[in-house]
Amino acid sequence: MGWPFLWVMSAAAQGPVDVWVTAPRHVLDRPGVGFAEGSAVGADGARWRVLATEDALQSLSEDGYTWTLAPPPPPDLPAGYRSPDAMVQALNTLAMDHPTLTTLTELGHSALGRPILGLRISATDHPRAQWRILGAHHGDELPSGEVVIDFAQTLLEGFGGDPDLTAFLERDAVWVVPHVNPDGVAAMSRQNADGVDLNRNYDYEWSVDALGSGDVPFSEPESRAIRALTDWNPFVAGLSYHSGATNIGWAWNWTDDDSRDDELLEAMADRYAERCQTDGFWSTNGAAWYPTRGDTNDWSFGRYGILDFTVELTLTKAPSFDRSLAVVEEHRDAMVDFLLHHPIVSGQVVDAATGQGIGARLDPGALGEPSWTGPRGDFARISPLSEDTPLTLTVNAPGYTSADIAVTPGVPITVALLPDETPRLSTDSILLSQGGDGTFFLQAPRVTLTRPGNPAVVATSLGEGRWQVDPQAMAPGAWDMVTSDGIAPRSVFIGEVDDRIRIDAVSLQGDTLTLTGQHFGPGLQADAIVGDRRGRIALPILDRAHRSVQLDVRMLRAEPTPVDLLLWTGGYQLSVLDVFGEGLVDVSAPLDNELTDSLFPSDTPYQHPESVIRSGCGVTGHRGGAGLLPFALLLVTTRRRR
């Protein structure tokens, strides 16, 4: 085999070994083998780069297949590549240099506490469509982060000079996340600090048998950060960058079966490949190259309908920085073209009575897989038809009459759905802490919780109207309650409890709602959910500091009660129920290892100019003269309003 077998087995005992195997691909579909971005054709046939356990290597050897160790990653970051700290500073510099075009957002924190930052780039607060560009799911694939940060700079420098990019940013928004796995980058490791392959940790067709998948889906803070970002932003399409090969792949990755969008996805991938200047760059269906489970593409596409692609940049995972700079140049035109040249239908789905956005499913029938609106009803999707041909979508939402609409690319539409005959349950909102046992009370023969982008959860009956779900296995935020007796939209809140990111108390003075707690980070967003129809409304942010945030709630004065609140900060989705009444929040005891705006693993921690913090409607502060109303602070796992 070219390597001392016993020495390799000793290495394997410490974890999966990175090896090249000469074998047909189907031979590698066995326990303990996970593909690691790489394939080649040698004199003896196809060669695949895989991670393999000791048992898997022994099994391959017994079956007569040969393998050799892959070159180990360098012990330190090669000269020129940005460390996690340097990437934080690079994003901070772009935000400071372009304050009117950017919002620097703290999406979450890694397993070791490093910030995961995203930069939103747009000239509008109300984009037609949003796009997502991710790098470094695997920390040893260094060119991926460099390509993403360069692309952010390309967009920002092109605004005002390049007419196509200027028009695009005046209409759409792009989110760039160069380092999804900053701990992995720092350690030159594929996995995160917990030893989990983040690109096997998403919940669509996740499998515990996938090497490095984690114990459960979304077990890792990094993958949860991307989930929260996607819950709050309805992306139309995305690119996820890797290295170890030179191709672009489309979903599905878990099965060879074609999706209903297969022709469109293939055409988009082919167009990218044609414009990429890397020699030998090619396009492929993901599973046709090699199958994976629990990856970003399939989750984005299967859960939300996002047309998401994996792009492999270089045959070597971490080539010299000079080679990486060349790769940046080779992909830049293809990346710009990916954003600019697709027919897009867009609009918003609203409640016909209130005009407020609602989450809805959009189905183009045989022309594509279903997709979902964002939480405020916004939607955008790439049409498989020509620029001047309307695309027919069937739009439906729980509790509303479905509608067939024809949407023409470039002409945004408002879809007003009428309530159907499904009764609206008069149940009070329920807060289920992720640290609690997930029990609640409701007199009904069956209870199901639903939410766009997530699998439905059927509650377990404990008898006498008592029900239970597992909050730890559910995405934080507001869920619809569906029973045989009716529906209570956005009535069950899965609240995240954390020692470092939390709301401790709520107070109201005039039209200013003040939340105090810990770690209200850059890019914070807040939505109110109002009345029996549970419309979702973005709230303007008046002021943000590490331990407090002030929200303008004047627009809520005319809305029916109850009013509940969702906050997205630092990757967490925090809930406050009944903000004009008792003000119920999730709380936990504080610890000494708190996060602060200056306590990050960086000598030069990022700073975010307050002028860049965007408010939902651009409303400036208004502080009325009403007295201070203290709110009750309670620690519970379930709760019903009286």
Side-chain angles (χ1 to χ4, degrees):
M1 296 180 185
W3 294 89
F5 185 77
L6 292 178
W7 183 86
V8 173
M9 289 301 98
S10 176
Q14 306 302 317
V17 177
D18 191 354
V19 298
W20 281 96
V21 179
T22 301
R25 193 201 75 180
H26 70 272
V27 167
L28 303 175
D29 294 337
R30 64 178 69 195
V33 175
F35 288 87
E37 280 80 46
S39 62
V41 178
D44 297 328
R47 298 176 70 237
W48 301 89
R49 188 168 183 173
V50 301
L51 297 175
T53 63
E54 176 182 351
D55 289 343
L57 290 175
Q58 183 70 42
S59 172
L60 287 167
S61 297
E62 291 173 353
D63 290 342
Y65 297 105
T66 60
W67 48 267
T68 59
L69 281 176
D76 300 307
L77 285 176
Y81 284 106
R82 291 176 177 87
S83 68
D85 292 350
M87 189 63 77
V88 165
Q89 188 57 48
L91 288 167
N92 182 61
T93 298
L94 289 179
M96 296 290 286
D97 290 347
H98 304 274
T100 62
L101 293 176
T102 61
T103 302
L104 186 61
T105 298
E106 188 181 70
L107 305 180
H109 299 88
S110 69
L112 295 181
R114 289 185 171 90
I116 302 169
L117 299 185
L119 191 68
R120 180 189 186 273
I121 303 172
S122 183
T124 175
D125 284 327
H126 304 285
R128 173 199 64 168
Q130 299 193 67
W131 308 72
R132 189 187 66 196
I133 314 293
L134 305 176
H137 263 88
H138 297 140
D140 59 346
E141 298 173 5
L142 298 181
S144 62
E146 301 301 326
V147 164
V148 173
I149 191 67
D150 175 83
F151 189 55
Q153 187 169 345
T154 296
L155 294 176
L156 292 169
E157 291 179 351
F159 186 81
D162 184 309
D164 291 334
L165 286 180
T166 301
F168 171 79
L169 291 176
E170 288 175 340
R171 182 185 63 224
D172 288 7
V174 181
W175 286 80
V176 296
V177 187
H179 283 172
V180 174
N181 182 11
D183 293 348
V185 173
M188 285 295 293
S189 168
R190 176 184 178 89
Q191 294 85 3
N192 75 344
D194 292 332
V196 173
D197 185 333
L198 298 177
N199 210 35
R200 305 293 184 269
N201 192 235
Y202 294 85
D203 77 345
Y204 192 84
E205 294 297 334
W206 176 89
S207 171
V208 70
D209 294 327
L211 201 63
S213 62
D215 295 334
V216 295
F218 292 114
S219 61
E220 304 311 300
E222 297 90 348
S223 56
R224 293 197 300 270
I226 300 303
R227 179 179 66 180
L229 167 66
T230 309
D231 276 344
W232 281 73
N233 297 277
F235 295 110
V236 64
L239 298 168
S240 183
Y241 282 91
H242 293 254
S243 60
T246 51
N247 60 44
I248 179 171
W250 70 88
W252 302 110
N253 292 297
W254 73 275
T255 177
D256 288 327
D257 294 342
D258 290 343
S259 74
R260 282 188 266 167
D261 283 294
D262 195 68
E263 289 187 11
L264 173 60
L265 291 167
E266 182 174 6
M268 293 174 67
D270 287 348
R271 183 176 178 118
Y272 187 103
E274 290 167 1
R275 284 156 179 78
C276 178
Q277 299 169 23
T278 298
D279 290 341
F281 191 86
W282 55 293
S283 61
T284 178
N285 169 261
W289 185 31
Y290 66 80
T292 64
R293 285 183 175 267
D295 82 336
T296 324
N297 292 163
D298 284 357
W299 167 75
S300 299
F301 186 47
R303 293 286 184 228
Y304 299 91
I306 301 167
L307 304 184
D308 204 43
F309 299 81
T310 292
V311 183
E312 301 280 355
L313 295 165
T314 58
L315 294 175
T316 302
K317 284 177 173 286
S320 69
F321 188 65
D322 287 344
R323 174 61 192 136
S324 186
L325 291 178
V327 169
V328 166
E329 296 290 339
E330 292 164 2
H331 280 262
R332 188 179 290 126
D333 289 345
M335 296 174 77
V336 170
D337 181 82
F338 181 81
L339 301 180
L340 297 184
H341 299 295
H342 301 293
I344 294 179
V345 298
S346 63
Q348 185 183 23
V349 181
V350 301
D351 182 301
T354 67
Q356 294 164 350
I358 55 177
R361 183 176 185 266
L362 305 110
D363 192 343
L367 293 178
E369 299 288 341
S371 61
W372 290 89
T373 69
R376 300 162 188 161
D378 302 288
F379 72 88
R381 65 179 295 148
I382 295 172
S383 173
L385 306 176
S386 63
E387 287 278 2
D388 56 355
T389 304
L391 177 66
T392 299
L393 300 170
T394 298
V395 184
N396 55 69
Y400 292 87
T401 301
S402 65
D404 292 328
I405 59 168
V407 193
T408 301
V411 183
I413 187 173
T414 298
V415 183
L417 294 185
L418 296 169
D420 61 18
E421 297 181 356
T422 303
R424 293 298 200 278
L425 300 177
S426 58
T427 182
D428 299 318
S429 295
I430 299 169
L431 179 59
L432 302 179
S433 300
Q434 285 194 330
D437 65 0
T439 58
F440 59 95
F441 294 88
L442 185 73
Q443 295 299 328
R446 180 181 172 88
V447 178
T448 301
L449 304 182
T450 64
R451 179 180 175 183
N454 293 269
V457 175
V458 179
T460 300
S461 175
L462 301 179
E464 299 181 348
R466 190 164 175 254
W467 297 88
Q468 186 174 45
V469 296
D470 180 6
Q472 198 65 37
M474 300 171 65
W479 291 68
D480 298 335
M481 178 187 293
V482 182
T483 78
S484 56
D485 297 327
I487 180 173
R490 291 171 172 166
S491 61
V492 177
F493 290 73
I494 305 299
E496 288 190 278
V497 177
D498 189 88
D499 300 312
R500 302 169 303 174
I501 302 176
R502 65 181 190 272
I503 301 170
D504 289 335
V506 187
S507 64
L508 180 70
Q509 186 172 19
D511 291 328
T512 299
L513 185 71
T514 300
L515 310 178
T516 57
Q518 188 165 279
H519 203 76
F520 298 115
L524 175 149
Q525 292 186 34
D527 279 7
I529 299 177
V530 302
D532 294 334
R533 307 299 277 271
R534 312 306 286 153
R536 188 158 169 168
I537 304 171
L539 294 180
I541 298 169
L542 302 176
D543 188 34
R544 180 200 64 82
H546 173 62
R547 293 189 178 275
S548 68
V549 61
Q550 293 183 330
L551 307 175
D552 187 338
V553 296
R554 81 178 85 178
M555 67 176 65
L556 302 180
R557 293 298 189 185
E559 299 294 340
T561 57
V563 175
D564 301 320
L565 181 69
L566 277 177
L567 202 73
W568 175 42
T569 179
Y572 278 71
Q573 300 182 68
L574 308 177
S575 305
V576 181
L577 301 193
D578 195 13
V579 297
F580 291 150
E582 294 182 31
L584 179 73
V585 301
D586 269 343
V587 296
S588 60
L591 295 182
D592 293 334
N593 62 337
E594 67 178 35
L595 296 170
T596 70
D597 282 341
S598 60
L599 188 59
F600 290 113
S602 172
D603 293 331
T604 53
Y606 77 91
Q607 298 174 353
H608 192 74
E610 294 303 315
S611 61
V612 178
I613 299 295
R614 293 182 184 272
S615 61
C617 301
V619 182
T620 57
H622 171 73
R623 308 178 191 277
L628 183 66
L629 300 178
F631 280 54
L633 184 62
L634 305 174
L635 175 60
V636 297
T637 56
T638 65
R639 181 257 189 177
R640 288 173 55 82
R641 293 200 200 103
R642 294 180 295 278

